Every structure is written in structure tokens, then in C-alpha cells.
Amino acid sequence: LEVFDQIIVSKDSSPGLRGWDQVPPPLCGELEGLGIARRDARSGTWSEAVQEVTDNIETDAVYTFCFWSAARFIDLVNDQLVNLVPLVPALSLSSTVTGSWPPHFVLYAWQPPER
């Protein structure tokens, strides 16, 4: 679970652990301040917080896992790589990554086979 950037655990009778909230977040709602977030953790505390969630997994709780990956470094609207190194200006995606090819994105929704 440490690969995720934010973990939100929701259950009606929360035991008061880090990352536990009473109500699951809305699918298209704001996630700021909910659960535990890697960006708010110090060096070793993220591993400890994730281990605490892992040790207390329950089948009647709702788990929301957020994976932002490199999204904070990519500005598709302005065709830039941003915030890679402090005080370094943004780099053009066209000149560094995609070249003259236009970006192409494909999203899939996997449906398990019917039995």
C-alpha cells in the first residue's frame, strides 16, 4: 500500500486510527484533508501510517486509494514539465518527451468476463 499517495479509510465506527474517516468521500469531491497523505508525512512516518492501516484492514470498511504518480509534474494544458527541480524553469513536453508527435492518451475500463 505504500505506493499510493493518499489512503482514506471510511467506516461508521472508526477506531480513531490515522487515515480513518466516518463517511466515504464523494467520487468527484475534494479529498484534501481526508485520510493520510504521503505529502503530509515525514520520512519514516508514511511507512508507519500505512502499516497501521494494513494491520487494521476490515471487510466492512471502505478504502479509497489515490495514486497521483507524476501528475504533479505534468501540465498537459500548457505542454510543460513543471516543478522537477526547485528554481528550474518549466520544460516543454514537446521538446523533451513527445517531440513533434501529438500526445495520445488511452483509458480503459476493464470488465471481468461473465461466468
mmCIF file of all heavy atoms in Angstrom, residues 68-98:
data_model
loop_
_atom_site.group_PDB
_atom_site.id
_atom_site.type_symbol
_atom_site.label_atom_id
_atom_site.label_comp_id
_atom_site.label_asym_id
_atom_site.label_seq_id
_atom_site.Cartn_x
_atom_site.Cartn_y
_atom_site.Cartn_z
ATOM 1 N N TRP A 68 -1.278 9.604 -7.397
ATOM 2 C CA TRP A 68 -1.081 10.798 -8.227
ATOM 3 C C TRP A 68 0.120 10.638 -9.141
ATOM 4 O O TRP A 68 0.229 11.303 -10.152
ATOM 5 C CB TRP A 68 -0.901 12.038 -7.353
ATOM 6 C CG TRP A 68 -1.953 12.175 -6.300
ATOM 7 C CD1 TRP A 68 -1.740 12.261 -4.948
ATOM 8 C CD2 TRP A 68 -3.367 12.225 -6.469
ATOM 9 N NE1 TRP A 68 -2.934 12.344 -4.285
ATOM 10 C CE2 TRP A 68 -3.950 12.336 -5.193
ATOM 11 C CE3 TRP A 68 -4.202 12.163 -7.566
ATOM 12 C CZ2 TRP A 68 -5.312 12.407 -4.989
ATOM 13 C CZ3 TRP A 68 -5.570 12.231 -7.358
ATOM 14 C CH2 TRP A 68 -6.105 12.354 -6.098
ATOM 15 N N SER A 69 1.046 9.787 -8.761
ATOM 16 C CA SER A 69 2.224 9.500 -9.569
ATOM 17 C C SER A 69 2.934 10.775 -9.991
ATOM 18 O O SER A 69 3.266 11.608 -9.176
ATOM 19 C CB SER A 69 1.835 8.661 -10.775
ATOM 20 O OG SER A 69 2.957 8.310 -11.523
ATOM 21 N N ALA A 70 3.162 10.913 -11.275
ATOM 22 C CA ALA A 70 3.892 12.074 -11.791
ATOM 23 C C ALA A 70 2.972 13.225 -12.153
ATOM 24 O O ALA A 70 3.413 14.213 -12.726
ATOM 25 C CB ALA A 70 4.701 11.657 -13.013
ATOM 26 N N ALA A 71 1.695 13.132 -11.824
ATOM 27 C CA ALA A 71 0.728 14.151 -12.231
ATOM 28 C C ALA A 71 1.112 15.558 -11.760
ATOM 29 O O ALA A 71 0.844 16.531 -12.447
ATOM 30 C CB ALA A 71 -0.662 13.796 -11.715
ATOM 31 N N ARG A 72 1.745 15.656 -10.623
ATOM 32 C CA ARG A 72 2.098 16.993 -10.123
ATOM 33 C C ARG A 72 3.218 17.638 -10.931
ATOM 34 O O ARG A 72 3.500 18.819 -10.792
ATOM 35 C CB ARG A 72 2.477 16.936 -8.647
ATOM 36 C CG ARG A 72 3.706 16.109 -8.386
ATOM 37 C CD ARG A 72 3.953 16.002 -6.908
ATOM 38 N NE ARG A 72 5.075 15.106 -6.678
ATOM 39 C CZ ARG A 72 5.847 15.185 -5.634
ATOM 40 N NH1 ARG A 72 5.623 16.088 -4.721
ATOM 41 N NH2 ARG A 72 6.844 14.350 -5.489
ATOM 42 N N PHE A 73 3.878 16.868 -11.786
ATOM 43 C CA PHE A 73 4.972 17.399 -12.595
ATOM 44 C C PHE A 73 4.581 17.644 -14.053
ATOM 45 O O PHE A 73 5.372 18.152 -14.827
ATOM 46 C CB PHE A 73 6.170 16.442 -12.572
ATOM 47 C CG PHE A 73 6.707 16.192 -11.198
ATOM 48 C CD1 PHE A 73 6.609 14.935 -10.618
ATOM 49 C CD2 PHE A 73 7.304 17.209 -10.476
ATOM 50 C CE1 PHE A 73 7.100 14.693 -9.354
ATOM 51 C CE2 PHE A 73 7.805 16.991 -9.208
ATOM 52 C CZ PHE A 73 7.700 15.723 -8.639
ATOM 53 N N ILE A 74 3.379 17.242 -14.441
ATOM 54 C CA ILE A 74 2.973 17.351 -15.843
ATOM 55 C C ILE A 74 1.808 18.313 -15.987
ATOM 56 O O ILE A 74 0.766 18.145 -15.364
ATOM 57 C CB ILE A 74 2.583 15.964 -16.401
ATOM 58 C CG1 ILE A 74 3.769 15.008 -16.298
ATOM 59 C CG2 ILE A 74 2.097 16.078 -17.834
ATOM 60 C CD1 ILE A 74 3.444 13.581 -16.636
ATOM 61 N N ASP A 75 1.996 19.324 -16.806
ATOM 62 C CA ASP A 75 0.952 20.297 -17.122
ATOM 63 C C ASP A 75 0.602 20.107 -18.596
ATOM 64 O O ASP A 75 1.262 20.652 -19.483
ATOM 65 C CB ASP A 75 1.467 21.714 -16.853
ATOM 66 C CG ASP A 75 0.447 22.789 -17.173
ATOM 67 O OD1 ASP A 75 -0.636 22.469 -17.709
ATOM 68 O OD2 ASP A 75 0.736 23.963 -16.893
ATOM 69 N N LEU A 76 -0.418 19.284 -18.855
ATOM 70 C CA LEU A 76 -0.778 18.970 -20.238
ATOM 71 C C LEU A 76 -1.364 20.175 -20.968
ATOM 72 O O LEU A 76 -1.160 20.332 -22.170
ATOM 73 C CB LEU A 76 -1.776 17.811 -20.274
ATOM 74 C CG LEU A 76 -1.213 16.461 -19.855
ATOM 75 C CD1 LEU A 76 -2.308 15.414 -19.841
ATOM 76 C CD2 LEU A 76 -0.083 16.034 -20.763
ATOM 77 N N VAL A 77 -2.088 21.025 -20.267
ATOM 78 C CA VAL A 77 -2.710 22.191 -20.900
ATOM 79 C C VAL A 77 -1.651 23.115 -21.486
ATOM 80 O O VAL A 77 -1.784 23.604 -22.609
ATOM 81 C CB VAL A 77 -3.606 22.941 -19.890
ATOM 82 C CG1 VAL A 77 -4.122 24.237 -20.487
ATOM 83 C CG2 VAL A 77 -4.758 22.054 -19.445
ATOM 84 N N ASN A 78 -0.569 23.329 -20.747
ATOM 85 C CA ASN A 78 0.488 24.228 -21.206
ATOM 86 C C ASN A 78 1.672 23.487 -21.826
ATOM 87 O O ASN A 78 2.698 24.105 -22.106
ATOM 88 C CB ASN A 78 0.967 25.107 -20.051
ATOM 89 C CG ASN A 78 -0.109 26.060 -19.607
ATOM 90 O OD1 ASN A 78 -0.719 26.741 -20.419
ATOM 91 N ND2 ASN A 78 -0.372 26.093 -18.307
ATOM 92 N N ASP A 79 1.536 22.168 -22.009
ATOM 93 C CA ASP A 79 2.580 21.373 -22.652
ATOM 94 C C ASP A 79 3.930 21.529 -21.936
ATOM 95 O O ASP A 79 4.944 21.837 -22.544
ATOM 96 C CB ASP A 79 2.696 21.765 -24.133
ATOM 97 C CG ASP A 79 3.680 20.902 -24.896
ATOM 98 O OD1 ASP A 79 3.666 19.678 -24.694
ATOM 99 O OD2 ASP A 79 4.474 21.460 -25.677
ATOM 100 N N GLN A 80 3.923 21.314 -20.585
ATOM 101 C CA GLN A 80 5.147 21.539 -19.818
ATOM 102 C C GLN A 80 5.365 20.472 -18.753
ATOM 103 O O GLN A 80 4.415 19.907 -18.214
ATOM 104 C CB GLN A 80 5.097 22.889 -19.107
ATOM 105 C CG GLN A 80 5.066 24.077 -20.013
ATOM 106 C CD GLN A 80 4.999 25.367 -19.220
ATOM 107 O OE1 GLN A 80 4.520 25.396 -18.096
ATOM 108 N NE2 GLN A 80 5.497 26.435 -19.810
ATOM 109 N N LEU A 81 6.626 20.245 -18.435
ATOM 110 C CA LEU A 81 7.032 19.540 -17.226
ATOM 111 C C LEU A 81 7.370 20.628 -16.216
ATOM 112 O O LEU A 81 8.193 21.493 -16.493
ATOM 113 C CB LEU A 81 8.256 18.663 -17.494
ATOM 114 C CG LEU A 81 8.046 17.497 -18.446
ATOM 115 C CD1 LEU A 81 9.386 16.854 -18.789
ATOM 116 C CD2 LEU A 81 7.122 16.478 -17.829
ATOM 117 N N VAL A 82 6.746 20.600 -15.060
ATOM 118 C CA VAL A 82 6.911 21.681 -14.079
ATOM 119 C C VAL A 82 7.389 21.126 -12.736
ATOM 120 O O VAL A 82 7.177 19.960 -12.418
ATOM 121 C CB VAL A 82 5.586 22.456 -13.884
ATOM 122 C CG1 VAL A 82 5.182 23.160 -15.162
ATOM 123 C CG2 VAL A 82 4.477 21.535 -13.426
ATOM 124 N N ASN A 83 8.037 21.975 -11.961
ATOM 125 C CA ASN A 83 8.468 21.676 -10.591
ATOM 126 C C ASN A 83 9.349 20.434 -10.475
ATOM 127 O O ASN A 83 9.322 19.746 -9.466
ATOM 128 C CB ASN A 83 7.246 21.523 -9.672
ATOM 129 C CG ASN A 83 6.396 22.758 -9.646
ATOM 130 O OD1 ASN A 83 6.896 23.873 -9.655
ATOM 131 N ND2 ASN A 83 5.094 22.569 -9.645
ATOM 132 N N LEU A 84 10.129 20.147 -11.490
ATOM 133 C CA LEU A 84 11.029 18.997 -11.416
ATOM 134 C C LEU A 84 12.157 19.246 -10.426
ATOM 135 O O LEU A 84 12.505 18.379 -9.631
ATOM 136 C CB LEU A 84 11.604 18.674 -12.799
ATOM 137 C CG LEU A 84 10.585 18.226 -13.844
ATOM 138 C CD1 LEU A 84 11.251 18.084 -15.203
ATOM 139 C CD2 LEU A 84 9.944 16.920 -13.430
ATOM 140 N N VAL A 85 12.727 20.424 -10.486
ATOM 141 C CA VAL A 85 13.800 20.836 -9.585
ATOM 142 C C VAL A 85 13.489 22.270 -9.164
ATOM 143 O O VAL A 85 13.150 23.097 -10.018
ATOM 144 C CB VAL A 85 15.177 20.776 -10.298
ATOM 145 C CG1 VAL A 85 16.283 21.227 -9.378
ATOM 146 C CG2 VAL A 85 15.444 19.378 -10.820
ATOM 147 N N PRO A 86 13.590 22.585 -7.866
ATOM 148 C CA PRO A 86 13.317 23.956 -7.443
ATOM 149 C C PRO A 86 14.176 24.970 -8.204
ATOM 150 O O PRO A 86 15.348 24.731 -8.489
ATOM 151 C CB PRO A 86 13.681 23.950 -5.951
ATOM 152 C CG PRO A 86 13.557 22.523 -5.543
ATOM 153 C CD PRO A 86 13.928 21.716 -6.753
ATOM 154 N N LEU A 87 13.571 26.069 -8.549
ATOM 155 C CA LEU A 87 14.195 27.200 -9.239
ATOM 156 C C LEU A 87 14.585 26.902 -10.691
ATOM 157 O O LEU A 87 15.265 27.692 -11.318
ATOM 158 C CB LEU A 87 15.418 27.711 -8.464
ATOM 159 C CG LEU A 87 15.154 28.125 -7.012
ATOM 160 C CD1 LEU A 87 16.455 28.473 -6.318
ATOM 161 C CD2 LEU A 87 14.169 29.274 -6.946
ATOM 162 N N VAL A 88 14.189 25.766 -11.215
ATOM 163 C CA VAL A 88 14.446 25.441 -12.617
ATOM 164 C C VAL A 88 13.159 25.713 -13.387
ATOM 165 O O VAL A 88 12.091 25.263 -12.979
ATOM 166 C CB VAL A 88 14.876 23.966 -12.782
ATOM 167 C CG1 VAL A 88 14.972 23.583 -14.241
ATOM 168 C CG2 VAL A 88 16.193 23.734 -12.072
ATOM 169 N N PRO A 89 13.253 26.442 -14.495
ATOM 170 C CA PRO A 89 12.032 26.746 -15.244
ATOM 171 C C PRO A 89 11.400 25.485 -15.843
ATOM 172 O O PRO A 89 12.053 24.452 -15.977
ATOM 173 C CB PRO A 89 12.513 27.700 -16.349
ATOM 174 C CG PRO A 89 13.972 27.492 -16.445
ATOM 175 C CD PRO A 89 14.444 27.009 -15.104
ATOM 176 N N ALA A 90 10.130 25.617 -16.182
ATOM 177 C CA ALA A 90 9.401 24.502 -16.779
ATOM 178 C C ALA A 90 10.033 24.104 -18.111
ATOM 179 O O ALA A 90 10.603 24.930 -18.823
ATOM 180 C CB ALA A 90 7.943 24.896 -16.982
ATOM 181 N N LEU A 91 9.931 22.825 -18.435
ATOM 182 C CA LEU A 91 10.453 22.308 -19.700
ATOM 183 C C LEU A 91 9.280 21.935 -20.604
ATOM 184 O O LEU A 91 8.284 21.393 -20.148
ATOM 185 C CB LEU A 91 11.305 21.063 -19.459
ATOM 186 C CG LEU A 91 12.513 21.217 -18.548
ATOM 187 C CD1 LEU A 91 13.113 19.860 -18.228
ATOM 188 C CD2 LEU A 91 13.536 22.112 -19.211
ATOM 189 N N SER A 92 9.420 22.197 -21.865
ATOM 190 C CA SER A 92 8.377 21.857 -22.826
ATOM 191 C C SER A 92 8.294 20.345 -23.012
ATOM 192 O O SER A 92 9.304 19.681 -23.229
ATOM 193 C CB SER A 92 8.663 22.535 -24.154
ATOM 194 O OG SER A 92 7.846 21.995 -25.158
ATOM 195 N N LEU A 93 7.092 19.800 -22.948
ATOM 196 C CA LEU A 93 6.900 18.379 -23.225
ATOM 197 C C LEU A 93 7.243 18.064 -24.680
ATOM 198 O O LEU A 93 7.827 17.035 -24.982
ATOM 199 C CB LEU A 93 5.451 17.976 -22.957
ATOM 200 C CG LEU A 93 5.076 17.647 -21.525
ATOM 201 C CD1 LEU A 93 3.564 17.522 -21.398
ATOM 202 C CD2 LEU A 93 5.749 16.388 -21.066
ATOM 203 N N SER A 94 6.870 18.970 -25.574
ATOM 204 C CA SER A 94 7.111 18.747 -27.000
ATOM 205 C C SER A 94 8.597 18.639 -27.317
ATOM 206 O O SER A 94 9.000 17.843 -28.153
ATOM 207 C CB SER A 94 6.506 19.877 -27.827
ATOM 208 O OG SER A 94 5.121 19.888 -27.672
ATOM 209 N N SER A 95 9.410 19.439 -26.660
ATOM 210 C CA SER A 95 10.837 19.413 -26.986
ATOM 211 C C SER A 95 11.604 18.357 -26.198
ATOM 212 O O SER A 95 12.694 17.973 -26.589
ATOM 213 C CB SER A 95 11.452 20.788 -26.748
ATOM 214 O OG SER A 95 11.412 21.106 -25.372
ATOM 215 N N THR A 96 11.047 17.860 -25.086
ATOM 216 C CA THR A 96 11.789 16.916 -24.259
ATOM 217 C C THR A 96 11.245 15.492 -24.286
ATOM 218 O O THR A 96 11.997 14.538 -24.138
ATOM 219 C CB THR A 96 11.831 17.379 -22.788
ATOM 220 O OG1 THR A 96 10.488 17.519 -22.332
ATOM 221 C CG2 THR A 96 12.586 18.672 -22.637
ATOM 222 N N VAL A 97 9.952 15.320 -24.467
ATOM 223 C CA VAL A 97 9.365 13.988 -24.349
ATOM 224 C C VAL A 97 8.691 13.520 -25.637
ATOM 225 O O VAL A 97 9.063 12.501 -26.209
ATOM 226 C CB VAL A 97 8.338 13.935 -23.190
ATOM 227 C CG1 VAL A 97 7.711 12.563 -23.078
ATOM 228 C CG2 VAL A 97 8.997 14.324 -21.884
ATOM 229 N N THR A 98 7.713 14.263 -26.097
ATOM 230 C CA THR A 98 6.897 13.782 -27.219
ATOM 231 C C THR A 98 7.449 14.162 -28.581
ATOM 232 O O THR A 98 7.036 13.591 -29.583
ATOM 233 C CB THR A 98 5.456 14.318 -27.109
ATOM 234 O OG1 THR A 98 5.483 15.742 -27.170
ATOM 235 C CG2 THR A 98 4.796 13.850 -25.836
#
